[in-house]
Amino acid sequence: MLRILLINDTVKKVGKLKQALLEAGFEVIDESGLTIDLPARVQSAKPDVILIDSDSPGRDVMEQVCLFSRDLPHPIALFTDEQDPAIMRQAIHSGVSAYIVEGFESSRLKAILDVAMVRFESDQKLRAELHAREQQLSERKRVEKAKGLLMKMKSCDESEAHTLMRRQAMSRQQKLVQVAEQIIAMHEMLGE
């Protein structure tokens, strides 16, 4: 059973949406308005999905969504009456997994939340892959910098510098980037 945190940012009551969620077999663990302590409430409630009901998601809603997405990533479904493509794009870029316009049908809730969860998982996977690639690029840059420093210090070519670094890494059972960081740190310490 999915645990849902329901956030109401409308003038109307969410009773109808909450009732539809309960009838569809979901557990609504908390219901609140858009408040400053919302990230803390998300952390304590530990929902599977965050569902936001908003007439027209404004700056406050988008700021909260950005906070969730950055600090406490969760699938987020946004139900709204707003059809402006610019606001849709902003919501998706902020971290909304499903943007649903003009209400809901209780028979579609499960499918909507399933899509939000699949999209969230896909986005998280892409973010992890991007982070790994950025990390690899950063490490490669550090290794290249260390090789350049070593070439200058030892008056050797790139191949010899790489071999020296690789031998050092193997003898100390370290990664090449760790040896590179040591070379760069030593260079900085000596102020050369």
Side-chain angles (χ1 to χ4, degrees), residues 7-10 33-39 52-54 56-69 76 78 87 90-91 94 96:
I7 299 168
N8 182 19
D9 183 42
T10 66
L34 197 63
T35 62
I36 290 177
D37 68 338
L38 210 45
I52 302 171
D53 189 8
S54 178
S56 179
R59 186 178 57 88
D60 291 343
V61 173
M62 292 304 134
E63 284 177 6
Q64 293 291 336
V65 170
C66 281
L67 286 173
F68 298 150
S69 298
I76 301 170
L78 176 63
I87 292 177
Q90 183 183 10
S94 296
V96 169

PDB file of all heavy atoms in Angstrom, residues 7-10 33-39 52-54 56-69 76 78 87 90-91 94 96:
ATOM      1  N   ILE A   7      -0.673  17.364   0.121  1.00  0.00           N
ATOM      2  CA  ILE A   7      -0.449  18.783   0.391  1.00  0.00           C
ATOM      3  C   ILE A   7      -1.511  19.583  -0.350  1.00  0.00           C
ATOM      4  O   ILE A   7      -1.673  19.435  -1.556  1.00  0.00           O
ATOM      5  CB  ILE A   7       0.956  19.223  -0.073  1.00  0.00           C
ATOM      6  CG1 ILE A   7       2.012  18.423   0.683  1.00  0.00           C
ATOM      7  CG2 ILE A   7       1.143  20.722   0.133  1.00  0.00           C
ATOM      8  CD1 ILE A   7       3.392  18.556   0.116  1.00  0.00           C
ATOM      9  N   ASN A   8      -2.206  20.418   0.389  1.00  0.00           N
ATOM     10  CA  ASN A   8      -3.278  21.223  -0.182  1.00  0.00           C
ATOM     11  C   ASN A   8      -2.820  22.668  -0.288  1.00  0.00           C
ATOM     12  O   ASN A   8      -2.534  23.316   0.707  1.00  0.00           O
ATOM     13  CB  ASN A   8      -4.521  21.131   0.701  1.00  0.00           C
ATOM     14  CG  ASN A   8      -5.682  21.910   0.119  1.00  0.00           C
ATOM     15  OD1 ASN A   8      -5.705  22.224  -1.061  1.00  0.00           O
ATOM     16  ND2 ASN A   8      -6.648  22.221   0.953  1.00  0.00           N
ATOM     17  N   ASP A   9      -2.770  23.162  -1.514  1.00  0.00           N
ATOM     18  CA  ASP A   9      -2.432  24.558  -1.759  1.00  0.00           C
ATOM     19  C   ASP A   9      -3.581  25.228  -2.505  1.00  0.00           C
ATOM     20  O   ASP A   9      -3.387  26.018  -3.407  1.00  0.00           O
ATOM     21  CB  ASP A   9      -1.131  24.658  -2.578  1.00  0.00           C
ATOM     22  CG  ASP A   9      -0.701  26.096  -2.793  1.00  0.00           C
ATOM     23  OD1 ASP A   9      -0.781  26.895  -1.848  1.00  0.00           O
ATOM     24  OD2 ASP A   9      -0.305  26.431  -3.929  1.00  0.00           O
ATOM     25  N   THR A  10      -4.796  24.846  -2.140  1.00  0.00           N
ATOM     26  CA  THR A  10      -5.976  25.406  -2.800  1.00  0.00           C
ATOM     27  C   THR A  10      -6.901  26.006  -1.758  1.00  0.00           C
ATOM     28  O   THR A  10      -6.768  25.739  -0.569  1.00  0.00           O
ATOM     29  CB  THR A  10      -6.768  24.313  -3.558  1.00  0.00           C
ATOM     30  OG1 THR A  10      -7.306  23.398  -2.613  1.00  0.00           O
ATOM     31  CG2 THR A  10      -5.890  23.580  -4.547  1.00  0.00           C
ATOM     32  N   GLY A  33      -1.183  21.888   4.620  1.00  0.00           N
ATOM     33  CA  GLY A  33      -1.088  22.988   3.669  1.00  0.00           C
ATOM     34  C   GLY A  33       0.378  23.197   3.328  1.00  0.00           C
ATOM     35  O   GLY A  33       1.254  22.506   3.831  1.00  0.00           O
ATOM     36  N   LEU A  34       0.632  24.141   2.471  1.00  0.00           N
ATOM     37  CA  LEU A  34       1.993  24.458   2.070  1.00  0.00           C
ATOM     38  C   LEU A  34       2.603  25.337   3.157  1.00  0.00           C
ATOM     39  O   LEU A  34       2.298  26.508   3.259  1.00  0.00           O
ATOM     40  CB  LEU A  34       1.977  25.183   0.723  1.00  0.00           C
ATOM     41  CG  LEU A  34       3.278  25.240  -0.033  1.00  0.00           C
ATOM     42  CD1 LEU A  34       3.724  23.830  -0.401  1.00  0.00           C
ATOM     43  CD2 LEU A  34       3.113  26.067  -1.281  1.00  0.00           C
ATOM     44  N   THR A  35       3.433  24.758   3.996  1.00  0.00           N
ATOM     45  CA  THR A  35       4.012  25.489   5.125  1.00  0.00           C
ATOM     46  C   THR A  35       5.528  25.465   5.049  1.00  0.00           C
ATOM     47  O   THR A  35       6.125  24.658   4.342  1.00  0.00           O
ATOM     48  CB  THR A  35       3.577  24.862   6.466  1.00  0.00           C
ATOM     49  OG1 THR A  35       4.062  23.514   6.514  1.00  0.00           O
ATOM     50  CG2 THR A  35       2.079  24.878   6.625  1.00  0.00           C
ATOM     51  N   ILE A  36       6.151  26.346   5.821  1.00  0.00           N
ATOM     52  CA  ILE A  36       7.606  26.444   5.835  1.00  0.00           C
ATOM     53  C   ILE A  36       8.251  25.162   6.346  1.00  0.00           C
ATOM     54  O   ILE A  36       9.308  24.779   5.887  1.00  0.00           O
ATOM     55  CB  ILE A  36       8.040  27.661   6.681  1.00  0.00           C
ATOM     56  CG1 ILE A  36       7.666  28.936   5.934  1.00  0.00           C
ATOM     57  CG2 ILE A  36       9.520  27.628   6.984  1.00  0.00           C
ATOM     58  CD1 ILE A  36       7.950  30.212   6.650  1.00  0.00           C
ATOM     59  N   ASP A  37       7.617  24.467   7.272  1.00  0.00           N
ATOM     60  CA  ASP A  37       8.224  23.257   7.848  1.00  0.00           C
ATOM     61  C   ASP A  37       7.920  21.997   7.045  1.00  0.00           C
ATOM     62  O   ASP A  37       8.143  20.892   7.501  1.00  0.00           O
ATOM     63  CB  ASP A  37       7.772  23.073   9.293  1.00  0.00           C
ATOM     64  CG  ASP A  37       6.293  22.724   9.413  1.00  0.00           C
ATOM     65  OD1 ASP A  37       5.533  23.025   8.470  1.00  0.00           O
ATOM     66  OD2 ASP A  37       5.910  22.159  10.435  1.00  0.00           O
ATOM     67  N   LEU A  38       7.462  22.162   5.812  1.00  0.00           N
ATOM     68  CA  LEU A  38       7.078  21.012   5.001  1.00  0.00           C
ATOM     69  C   LEU A  38       8.213  20.020   4.770  1.00  0.00           C
ATOM     70  O   LEU A  38       7.986  18.816   4.883  1.00  0.00           O
ATOM     71  CB  LEU A  38       6.489  21.484   3.677  1.00  0.00           C
ATOM     72  CG  LEU A  38       5.456  20.577   3.050  1.00  0.00           C
ATOM     73  CD1 LEU A  38       4.440  20.064   4.042  1.00  0.00           C
ATOM     74  CD2 LEU A  38       4.757  21.292   1.921  1.00  0.00           C
ATOM     75  N   PRO A  39       9.444  20.452   4.455  1.00  0.00           N
ATOM     76  CA  PRO A  39      10.516  19.464   4.304  1.00  0.00           C
ATOM     77  C   PRO A  39      10.707  18.593   5.557  1.00  0.00           C
ATOM     78  O   PRO A  39      10.915  17.386   5.456  1.00  0.00           O
ATOM     79  CB  PRO A  39      11.755  20.309   4.013  1.00  0.00           C
ATOM     80  CG  PRO A  39      11.210  21.531   3.348  1.00  0.00           C
ATOM     81  CD  PRO A  39       9.898  21.783   4.061  1.00  0.00           C
ATOM     82  N   ILE A  52       0.393  16.902  -4.485  1.00  0.00           N
ATOM     83  CA  ILE A  52       0.092  18.315  -4.247  1.00  0.00           C
ATOM     84  C   ILE A  52      -1.164  18.687  -5.030  1.00  0.00           C
ATOM     85  O   ILE A  52      -1.259  18.400  -6.219  1.00  0.00           O
ATOM     86  CB  ILE A  52       1.257  19.223  -4.693  1.00  0.00           C
ATOM     87  CG1 ILE A  52       2.540  18.844  -3.955  1.00  0.00           C
ATOM     88  CG2 ILE A  52       0.912  20.697  -4.470  1.00  0.00           C
ATOM     89  CD1 ILE A  52       3.783  19.538  -4.473  1.00  0.00           C
ATOM     90  N   ASP A  53      -2.110  19.316  -4.350  1.00  0.00           N
ATOM     91  CA  ASP A  53      -3.310  19.827  -4.997  1.00  0.00           C
ATOM     92  C   ASP A  53      -3.205  21.347  -4.984  1.00  0.00           C
ATOM     93  O   ASP A  53      -3.165  21.964  -3.922  1.00  0.00           O
ATOM     94  CB  ASP A  53      -4.555  19.360  -4.227  1.00  0.00           C
ATOM     95  CG  ASP A  53      -5.839  19.674  -4.964  1.00  0.00           C
ATOM     96  OD1 ASP A  53      -5.769  20.110  -6.127  1.00  0.00           O
ATOM     97  OD2 ASP A  53      -6.912  19.469  -4.379  1.00  0.00           O
ATOM     98  N   SER A  54      -3.111  21.951  -6.174  1.00  0.00           N
ATOM     99  CA  SER A  54      -2.899  23.390  -6.273  1.00  0.00           C
ATOM    100  C   SER A  54      -3.718  23.951  -7.427  1.00  0.00           C
ATOM    101  O   SER A  54      -3.671  23.417  -8.530  1.00  0.00           O
ATOM    102  CB  SER A  54      -1.413  23.680  -6.512  1.00  0.00           C
ATOM    103  OG  SER A  54      -1.183  25.053  -6.660  1.00  0.00           O
ATOM    104  N   SER A  56      -3.241  26.822  -8.957  1.00  0.00           N
ATOM    105  CA  SER A  56      -2.238  27.321  -9.897  1.00  0.00           C
ATOM    106  C   SER A  56      -0.909  27.368  -9.155  1.00  0.00           C
ATOM    107  O   SER A  56      -0.700  28.239  -8.313  1.00  0.00           O
ATOM    108  CB  SER A  56      -2.616  28.713 -10.391  1.00  0.00           C
ATOM    109  OG  SER A  56      -1.630  29.182 -11.275  1.00  0.00           O
ATOM    110  N   PRO A  57      -0.022  26.419  -9.435  1.00  0.00           N
ATOM    111  CA  PRO A  57       1.224  26.359  -8.670  1.00  0.00           C
ATOM    112  C   PRO A  57       2.080  27.599  -8.891  1.00  0.00           C
ATOM    113  O   PRO A  57       2.540  27.865  -9.994  1.00  0.00           O
ATOM    114  CB  PRO A  57       1.913  25.106  -9.192  1.00  0.00           C
ATOM    115  CG  PRO A  57       1.292  24.815 -10.504  1.00  0.00           C
ATOM    116  CD  PRO A  57      -0.079  25.406 -10.475  1.00  0.00           C
ATOM    117  N   GLY A  58       2.274  28.342  -7.830  1.00  0.00           N
ATOM    118  CA  GLY A  58       3.064  29.572  -7.900  1.00  0.00           C
ATOM    119  C   GLY A  58       4.477  29.355  -7.392  1.00  0.00           C
ATOM    120  O   GLY A  58       4.963  28.235  -7.246  1.00  0.00           O
ATOM    121  N   ARG A  59       5.124  30.466  -7.121  1.00  0.00           N
ATOM    122  CA  ARG A  59       6.526  30.453  -6.691  1.00  0.00           C
ATOM    123  C   ARG A  59       6.719  29.640  -5.413  1.00  0.00           C
ATOM    124  O   ARG A  59       7.665  28.854  -5.310  1.00  0.00           O
ATOM    125  CB  ARG A  59       6.994  31.894  -6.475  1.00  0.00           C
ATOM    126  CG  ARG A  59       8.467  32.015  -6.173  1.00  0.00           C
ATOM    127  CD  ARG A  59       8.871  33.474  -6.026  1.00  0.00           C
ATOM    128  NE  ARG A  59       8.123  34.178  -5.012  1.00  0.00           N
ATOM    129  CZ  ARG A  59       8.468  34.229  -3.720  1.00  0.00           C
ATOM    130  NH1 ARG A  59       9.536  33.618  -3.307  1.00  0.00           N
ATOM    131  NH2 ARG A  59       7.735  34.897  -2.855  1.00  0.00           N
ATOM    132  N   ASP A  60       5.825  29.778  -4.435  1.00  0.00           N
ATOM    133  CA  ASP A  60       5.966  29.052  -3.170  1.00  0.00           C
ATOM    134  C   ASP A  60       5.907  27.542  -3.385  1.00  0.00           C
ATOM    135  O   ASP A  60       6.697  26.797  -2.813  1.00  0.00           O
ATOM    136  CB  ASP A  60       4.878  29.472  -2.174  1.00  0.00           C
ATOM    137  CG  ASP A  60       5.067  30.897  -1.684  1.00  0.00           C
ATOM    138  OD1 ASP A  60       6.183  31.439  -1.844  1.00  0.00           O
ATOM    139  OD2 ASP A  60       4.104  31.464  -1.146  1.00  0.00           O
ATOM    140  N   VAL A  61       4.973  27.104  -4.221  1.00  0.00           N
ATOM    141  CA  VAL A  61       4.853  25.671  -4.506  1.00  0.00           C
ATOM    142  C   VAL A  61       6.118  25.167  -5.179  1.00  0.00           C
ATOM    143  O   VAL A  61       6.680  24.139  -4.795  1.00  0.00           O
ATOM    144  CB  VAL A  61       3.619  25.380  -5.396  1.00  0.00           C
ATOM    145  CG1 VAL A  61       3.597  23.928  -5.840  1.00  0.00           C
ATOM    146  CG2 VAL A  61       2.331  25.734  -4.664  1.00  0.00           C
ATOM    147  N   MET A  62       6.612  25.902  -6.186  1.00  0.00           N
ATOM    148  CA  MET A  62       7.811  25.478  -6.913  1.00  0.00           C
ATOM    149  C   MET A  62       9.038  25.451  -6.006  1.00  0.00           C
ATOM    150  O   MET A  62       9.885  24.571  -6.121  1.00  0.00           O
ATOM    151  CB  MET A  62       8.069  26.381  -8.118  1.00  0.00           C
ATOM    152  CG  MET A  62       7.039  26.254  -9.207  1.00  0.00           C
ATOM    153  SD  MET A  62       6.852  24.562  -9.790  1.00  0.00           S
ATOM    154  CE  MET A  62       5.096  24.433  -9.807  1.00  0.00           C
ATOM    155  N   GLU A  63       9.135  26.414  -5.076  1.00  0.00           N
ATOM    156  CA  GLU A  63      10.261  26.413  -4.127  1.00  0.00           C
ATOM    157  C   GLU A  63      10.214  25.168  -3.252  1.00  0.00           C
ATOM    158  O   GLU A  63      11.247  24.540  -2.997  1.00  0.00           O
ATOM    159  CB  GLU A  63      10.233  27.674  -3.261  1.00  0.00           C
ATOM    160  CG  GLU A  63      10.707  28.905  -3.992  1.00  0.00           C
ATOM    161  CD  GLU A  63      10.611  30.166  -3.143  1.00  0.00           C
ATOM    162  OE1 GLU A  63      10.277  30.082  -1.946  1.00  0.00           O
ATOM    163  OE2 GLU A  63      10.881  31.251  -3.691  1.00  0.00           O
ATOM    164  N   GLN A  64       9.033  24.814  -2.769  1.00  0.00           N
ATOM    165  CA  GLN A  64       8.902  23.620  -1.943  1.00  0.00           C
ATOM    166  C   GLN A  64       9.266  22.362  -2.736  1.00  0.00           C
ATOM    167  O   GLN A  64       9.961  21.484  -2.248  1.00  0.00           O
ATOM    168  CB  GLN A  64       7.474  23.499  -1.386  1.00  0.00           C
ATOM    169  CG  GLN A  64       7.105  24.575  -0.396  1.00  0.00           C
ATOM    170  CD  GLN A  64       7.863  24.466   0.917  1.00  0.00           C
ATOM    171  OE1 GLN A  64       8.328  23.414   1.291  1.00  0.00           O
ATOM    172  NE2 GLN A  64       7.988  25.585   1.597  1.00  0.00           N
ATOM    173  N   VAL A  65       8.797  22.295  -3.976  1.00  0.00           N
ATOM    174  CA  VAL A  65       9.108  21.140  -4.829  1.00  0.00           C
ATOM    175  C   VAL A  65      10.612  21.045  -5.056  1.00  0.00           C
ATOM    176  O   VAL A  65      11.201  19.955  -4.986  1.00  0.00           O
ATOM    177  CB  VAL A  65       8.340  21.211  -6.167  1.00  0.00           C
ATOM    178  CG1 VAL A  65       8.843  20.166  -7.146  1.00  0.00           C
ATOM    179  CG2 VAL A  65       6.844  21.028  -5.925  1.00  0.00           C
ATOM    180  N   CYS A  66      11.260  22.180  -5.302  1.00  0.00           N
ATOM    181  CA  CYS A  66      12.719  22.175  -5.474  1.00  0.00           C
ATOM    182  C   CYS A  66      13.421  21.672  -4.220  1.00  0.00           C
ATOM    183  O   CYS A  66      14.386  20.903  -4.300  1.00  0.00           O
ATOM    184  CB  CYS A  66      13.219  23.576  -5.818  1.00  0.00           C
ATOM    185  SG  CYS A  66      12.968  24.026  -7.537  1.00  0.00           S
ATOM    186  N   LEU A  67      12.944  22.089  -3.051  1.00  0.00           N
ATOM    187  CA  LEU A  67      13.536  21.624  -1.791  1.00  0.00           C
ATOM    188  C   LEU A  67      13.391  20.114  -1.644  1.00  0.00           C
ATOM    189  O   LEU A  67      14.336  19.422  -1.274  1.00  0.00           O
ATOM    190  CB  LEU A  67      12.887  22.318  -0.586  1.00  0.00           C
ATOM    191  CG  LEU A  67      13.268  23.763  -0.357  1.00  0.00           C
ATOM    192  CD1 LEU A  67      12.425  24.362   0.770  1.00  0.00           C
ATOM    193  CD2 LEU A  67      14.744  23.890  -0.033  1.00  0.00           C
ATOM    194  N   PHE A  68      12.193  19.588  -1.924  1.00  0.00           N
ATOM    195  CA  PHE A  68      11.982  18.136  -1.836  1.00  0.00           C
ATOM    196  C   PHE A  68      12.936  17.414  -2.783  1.00  0.00           C
ATOM    197  O   PHE A  68      13.586  16.448  -2.418  1.00  0.00           O
ATOM    198  CB  PHE A  68      10.569  17.729  -2.248  1.00  0.00           C
ATOM    199  CG  PHE A  68       9.463  18.276  -1.414  1.00  0.00           C
ATOM    200  CD1 PHE A  68       8.227  18.507  -1.997  1.00  0.00           C
ATOM    201  CD2 PHE A  68       9.614  18.541  -0.075  1.00  0.00           C
ATOM    202  CE1 PHE A  68       7.182  19.005  -1.258  1.00  0.00           C
ATOM    203  CE2 PHE A  68       8.580  19.036   0.675  1.00  0.00           C
ATOM    204  CZ  PHE A  68       7.344  19.277   0.078  1.00  0.00           C
ATOM    205  N   SER A  69      12.966  17.902  -4.015  1.00  0.00           N
ATOM    206  CA  SER A  69      13.740  17.219  -5.048  1.00  0.00           C
ATOM    207  C   SER A  69      15.225  17.225  -4.739  1.00  0.00           C
ATOM    208  O   SER A  69      15.926  16.265  -5.036  1.00  0.00           O
ATOM    209  CB  SER A  69      13.496  17.871  -6.408  1.00  0.00           C
ATOM    210  OG  SER A  69      12.142  17.760  -6.742  1.00  0.00           O
ATOM    211  N   ILE A  76       6.595  13.036  -7.025  1.00  0.00           N
ATOM    212  CA  ILE A  76       5.645  14.108  -6.720  1.00  0.00           C
ATOM    213  C   ILE A  76       4.619  14.191  -7.846  1.00  0.00           C
ATOM    214  O   ILE A  76       4.986  14.344  -9.011  1.00  0.00           O
ATOM    215  CB  ILE A  76       6.356  15.467  -6.569  1.00  0.00           C
ATOM    216  CG1 ILE A  76       7.399  15.406  -5.452  1.00  0.00           C
ATOM    217  CG2 ILE A  76       5.344  16.581  -6.319  1.00  0.00           C
ATOM    218  CD1 ILE A  76       8.301  16.627  -5.390  1.00  0.00           C
ATOM    219  N   LEU A  78       1.403  16.419  -9.111  1.00  0.00           N
ATOM    220  CA  LEU A  78       0.783  17.725  -8.918  1.00  0.00           C
ATOM    221  C   LEU A  78      -0.542  17.765  -9.665  1.00  0.00           C
ATOM    222  O   LEU A  78      -0.589  17.593 -10.879  1.00  0.00           O
ATOM    223  CB  LEU A  78       1.713  18.830  -9.439  1.00  0.00           C
ATOM    224  CG  LEU A  78       1.188  20.255  -9.410  1.00  0.00           C
ATOM    225  CD1 LEU A  78       0.921  20.716  -7.978  1.00  0.00           C
ATOM    226  CD2 LEU A  78       2.172  21.190 -10.081  1.00  0.00           C
ATOM    227  N   ILE A  87       4.391  27.047 -16.967  1.00  0.00           N
ATOM    228  CA  ILE A  87       4.290  26.579 -15.584  1.00  0.00           C
ATOM    229  C   ILE A  87       4.476  25.067 -15.531  1.00  0.00           C
ATOM    230  O   ILE A  87       5.115  24.544 -14.619  1.00  0.00           O
ATOM    231  CB  ILE A  87       2.953  27.031 -14.954  1.00  0.00           C
ATOM    232  CG1 ILE A  87       2.967  28.555 -14.798  1.00  0.00           C
ATOM    233  CG2 ILE A  87       2.724  26.347 -13.612  1.00  0.00           C
ATOM    234  CD1 ILE A  87       1.707  29.165 -14.269  1.00  0.00           C
ATOM    235  N   GLN A  90       8.162  24.472 -15.757  1.00  0.00           N
ATOM    236  CA  GLN A  90       8.790  24.849 -14.494  1.00  0.00           C
ATOM    237  C   GLN A  90       8.551  23.778 -13.437  1.00  0.00           C
ATOM    238  O   GLN A  90       9.456  23.422 -12.693  1.00  0.00           O
ATOM    239  CB  GLN A  90       8.252  26.205 -14.021  1.00  0.00           C
ATOM    240  CG  GLN A  90       8.907  26.694 -12.752  1.00  0.00           C
ATOM    241  CD  GLN A  90       8.310  28.002 -12.258  1.00  0.00           C
ATOM    242  OE1 GLN A  90       7.286  28.472 -12.749  1.00  0.00           O
ATOM    243  NE2 GLN A  90       8.961  28.584 -11.274  1.00  0.00           N
ATOM    244  N   ALA A  91       7.343  23.252 -13.380  1.00  0.00           N
ATOM    245  CA  ALA A  91       7.024  22.203 -12.404  1.00  0.00           C
ATOM    246  C   ALA A  91       7.845  20.947 -12.660  1.00  0.00           C
ATOM    247  O   ALA A  91       8.428  20.368 -11.732  1.00  0.00           O
ATOM    248  CB  ALA A  91       5.524  21.880 -12.440  1.00  0.00           C
ATOM    249  N   SER A  94      11.359  21.476 -11.744  1.00  0.00           N
ATOM    250  CA  SER A  94      11.499  21.568 -10.287  1.00  0.00           C
ATOM    251  C   SER A  94      11.505  20.200  -9.618  1.00  0.00           C
ATOM    252  O   SER A  94      11.949  20.074  -8.488  1.00  0.00           O
ATOM    253  CB  SER A  94      10.367  22.414  -9.694  1.00  0.00           C
ATOM    254  OG  SER A  94      10.445  23.731 -10.158  1.00  0.00           O
ATOM    255  N   VAL A  96       8.622  17.743 -10.298  1.00  0.00           N
ATOM    256  CA  VAL A  96       7.312  17.091 -10.347  1.00  0.00           C
ATOM    257  C   VAL A  96       7.389  15.923 -11.329  1.00  0.00           C
ATOM    258  O   VAL A  96       7.874  16.066 -12.448  1.00  0.00           O
ATOM    259  CB  VAL A  96       6.208  18.089 -10.777  1.00  0.00           C
ATOM    260  CG1 VAL A  96       4.907  17.383 -11.096  1.00  0.00           C
ATOM    261  CG2 VAL A  96       5.992  19.130  -9.686  1.00  0.00           C
TER     262      VAL A  96
END
